[in-house]
Amino acid sequence: MPGLNRALRLPCLALALSAALGAVASAAEAPAQLTLEQLYRAKPYKGQDAQDPSFSHSGHWLAYRWNPYGEPGSDLYVRNVETGQVLRLTSPQIMAAYDAPEDLARFEAKYRQQVDETAARQAREEAQQAYLRGEKVDLEQWDRADLARVKPEVEAKWTRDEAEKKADAAAAEVEKAAMARLEGAPAAAAASAPVGAIAAAASASAVAAAAPASAASMPAKADWEWRDELQKWREKNKLKPADLYPGVSEFVWAHRADELVFAYRGALFRWQASKGAHIEPLQATQRKLAVVAYTGDDAGYVFRDDKRVLRARFDRGGVDLINRELINADDAERKYAIEQTTLSEDGRWLAIVAQAPLAPPGDDGKPGPEPKARQVEIMDWTQRFATPKKVDREVSDDKQLVKPMALYIRRVPAAGEAPAKQAAPVFTNKGGDVWFETSDVVWARDASHYAFATWERERQLLRVYLGNADENAAPAVVLERRGDVGHEVVGVMQPHFTPDGRRVVLGLDAAGWRQPYAIDVATHALTRLVSGDFEAPEVLGFTPDSKAMFVTANKDDFASMNLLRVDLASGQATALGAAGEYYRASAVSFDGRWLAAMGGNWAARPELKLIDARKPGAELALTDSNDKAWAQVDVLHPERFSFANRHGDRIEGYVFKPPGWQASDRRPAVVYVYGGPLGDRHIVEVDSFQQTAYLFGMYMAARHGYVMIAVDPRGHSNYGRKFSDANWEHPGQPQAEDLEDAKAWAVAHLGVDTARVGLTGWSFGGFQTQYTMYTKPELFAAGIAGAGPTQWENYNSWYTGRTLDRLERGKPVLRKYSLLPLARNLEHPLLLVHGMVDPNVLFQDTVNVYRELLSSGKDALVELYLDPDGVHGLGGTVKPVGMHRKFEAFWLNHLGEGAKR
């Protein structure tokens, strides 16, 4: 059994992290007065992570998008990995030369607004709590300050409106007089009438317009009217993403030279290492441009707008269109249009993915009306009367609306070359009511071959295709798997060619774990590249000689993800990153000497690290993304633990123990659970500061003496197929078993009072909390369920169809997993939390289960906590500090204080 095999290699109880993570803080290190306002302050403790690290072909330079803590946008940085020289290529000051003054003024004003609003929100939160403690606090000061800004604006607008009304009235009088003279006088007299009177009247009109009404004469507004004006002003001035300086959106390196092209606000720029920090503008068309690649000879670059792919050279003006739109015959059954274009590295070949409308052409040759996806209404509660708005919702019993797809292979014409006749597609799929998914098309480095993978869910058919660089030849199926291939394989089946083009590498779930396999291009033989009970979901790259591969994997610790160099001949894997860190957003240099990744853990929050592949474990931090004030609230670190469930599976978790904890204590405890698939994530990860499991766990342990636990039961991703498939045909049941075993283990080993253990979770964890409390009602003393799907037949079919059970068109078969019939079994207090405009898990899920609870007499046991304008993670009126204040009160009320018993 995979779980048992791994358990033999690792300690049965993995208590405590390495010395780098540190032991649990002592009572002296854990201030008793840590507050939620400190912990969930309005200004985050962490800035943005570095994004898109990428090395130049020579390996001498590393580029990444990032900004220091507190700065808006993601600017472009380059670092010479040999000398340590760092150049910041963009900033608001640098890019001011290319922005309109109006844009610059808006960026500056909106950034000041963001700073002011953040400070005001923090001050308001602290004042509210001071007021509740009985202190004398002015809670109206923020509204008064905003009204001081609103009133002059309202008065100025009234003054302008009044002046415009006067001018319009005066002009109307002039026109009226002129028409009266015209109608009452003979034609000759009218024609010869002096214009002096008319001119005088017009002058009087102008004077009237130039003398606006005084603001002092504006009718007085009642307090309630000013409150309405304040609300409208706040809504109008609400910050939007486009209001703030964005920085660089993307960049690409040249194939050989140490230079790159990047995109900023739809314009393109070039940087060359030989020119220091100087950047050169290339294209600024007021269309949203994105850079694709350099041309094969590095003499130019390829870029795109909405669908067109264009080519330009550095040494001359003009552009070439290299993916001319598809030509469809008048009588064609399907009219295809380009959706995606993939260019080979040498710039000589294109793979064009096209789609056609689902509706066939009518007699006029034009497509008929497209079938409409299901839409559901959610309510907007911000207006005087609630108004509905529609969101798309494809549920399990809906027909699939997959558009017909075609793949074209096209040779890129040389500059000035006449277009060749369009070839037929090399691959098609009819679409319609089928579940068809495909990977991206990838090219071998020498452009001799391309590859892609497809997954047909209802047929349980996984295929990998390999094609030659030929406009007319269909690709061959080089791998076919039918049946049990793993429900999460789609996320890792993206093919990669080795640099020599001899093998195609992609992720499969053929041995119970998502790991890379290689297909020989010549023989089509399949080879497993790593072995062992661990997940390796991401291929990062290869050495230039194609003898080694770089992957991310949780080989040595399920709670971390390290960077491995894998020998492709022997399968030997060498960990390159430091033990006990989780690495994300990783990149490897072309020569295989360097890696870059966001790496960190609970004791050293993540930063961009530079890792020398020749010195495993050695790394250099390149960024500083964290506020130093974090140290003031970082009062406890969790301990890792694991236990064997009733089936012998290893269940991972972590626990915050309060200061003064002893194994003989009988303290209250709360268990945090998610329990559903997360792609390549789960909850117990050594760099995750999840706001409830980690931050609130730390707070409740330090402040109230609770034992706060997070566990990953079966159902999670990244623990192998046995875990990720656990929900199939019985969602929630395996997790409930594991939670029962977790509670028993905690009572035996963590000083927990068996009668005072609560359960909480969000989203799937909200479902899991309810499922457990309805099916094992005696197990937990209280529960908090956030935004949980209670009626799976109403959730997205893309998730439910690969997680819960097979679907049946036209029949909501997932209704058998509804929590509504189970709710009557509730025996202990339950708090239901939801955002009322949640477009993901619909608010109706909580309303309907709440109705069932009330109708079964559970009124005294159930509470509702709602965010009127919150979405799936809330974020409306309810802020994290307020939500956890509610959680704190709920646990203290139902589980009591955490003093030892």
Side-chain angles (χ1 to χ4, degrees), residues 653-717:
Y654 66 77
V655 57
F656 283 99
K657 295 176 180 176
W661 174 92
Q662 296 181 33
S664 59
D665 293 346
R666 292 177 56 216
R667 295 177 181 267
V670 176
V671 178
Y672 183 92
V673 66
Y674 182 75
L678 279 169
D680 62 350
R681 299 292 308 275
H682 42 242
I683 297 301
V684 182
E685 297 173 345
V686 297
D687 71 333
S688 174
F689 295 82
Q690 203 272 351
Q691 66 171 3
T692 301
Y694 190 97
L695 296 181
F696 187 63
M698 176 177 67
Y699 171 82
M700 290 296 290
R703 183 70 185 266
H704 295 293
Y706 273 48
V707 174
M708 300 296 288
I709 302 165
V711 293
D712 280 343
R714 286 170 293 160
H716 269 291
S717 304

Side-chain angles (χ1 to χ4, degrees), residues 565-582:
R565 175 186 170 122
V566 179
D567 184 272
L568 293 180
S570 66
Q572 180 180 353
T574 303
L576 302 177
E581 293 203 359
Y582 203 117

Side-chain angles (χ1 to χ4, degrees), residues 382-401:
T382 60
Q383 307 302 315
R384 182 182 179 188
F385 298 105
T387 55
K389 60 180 181 180
K390 293 182 181 294
V391 296
D392 290 335
R393 172 64 50 137
E394 183 185 86
V395 299
S396 59
D397 46 315
D398 283 342
K399 286 187 175 182
Q400 294 291 299
L401 300 176

Side-chain angles (χ1 to χ4, degrees), residues 303 497 708 782 836:
F303 63 103
F497 279 96
M708 300 296 288
M836 296 175 70

Side-chain angles (χ1 to χ4, degrees), residues 422-594:
Q422 176 177 294
V426 298
F427 176 87
T428 60
N429 181 274
K430 292 182 180 180
D433 188 16
V434 296
W435 210 311
F436 177 79
E437 299 174 65
T438 181
S439 73
D440 291 338
V441 179
V442 295
W443 286 97
R445 187 161 288 170
D446 63 0
S448 60
H449 296 86
Y450 62 90
F452 62 98
T454 63
W455 170 237
E456 298 176 66
R457 186 175 295 180
E458 282 120 341
R459 298 173 66 190
Q460 298 185 65
L461 180 61
L462 173 69
R463 283 175 170 164
V464 179
Y465 291 85
L466 180 67
N468 298 322
D470 187 326
E471 293 183 330
N472 300 294
V477 177
V478 295
L479 178 69
E480 182 172 292
R481 288 282 188 273
R482 188 184 293 271
D484 186 16
V485 299
H487 296 297
E488 290 197 298
V489 72
V490 173
V492 298
M493 69 181 191
Q494 178 65 40
H496 306 262
F497 279 96
T498 55
D500 60 13
R502 295 180 179 179
R503 286 187 279 188
V504 177
V505 176
L506 78 162
L508 298 175
D509 190 355
W513 304 88
R514 294 178 299 174
Q515 295 174 344
Y517 287 71
I519 302 171
D520 188 281
V521 169
T523 67
H524 303 173
L526 182 68
T527 304
R528 186 180 180 184
L529 298 179
V530 299
S531 61
D533 296 347
F534 61 90
E535 298 260 304
E538 184 180 12
V539 176
L540 302 176
F542 306 87
T543 54
D545 59 8
S546 299
K547 292 183 178 181
M549 169 183 65
F550 298 90
V551 299
T552 58
N554 56 14
K555 179 177 181 292
D556 299 314
D557 184 356
F558 279 131
S560 65
M561 189 70 73
N562 209 329
L563 308 168
L564 304 186
R565 175 186 170 122
V566 179
D567 184 272
L568 293 180
S570 66
Q572 180 180 353
T574 303
L576 302 177
E581 293 203 359
Y582 203 117
Y583 293 94
R584 307 182 192 274
S586 309
V588 60
S589 65
F590 181 85
D591 58 14
R593 292 187 303 150
W594 299 98

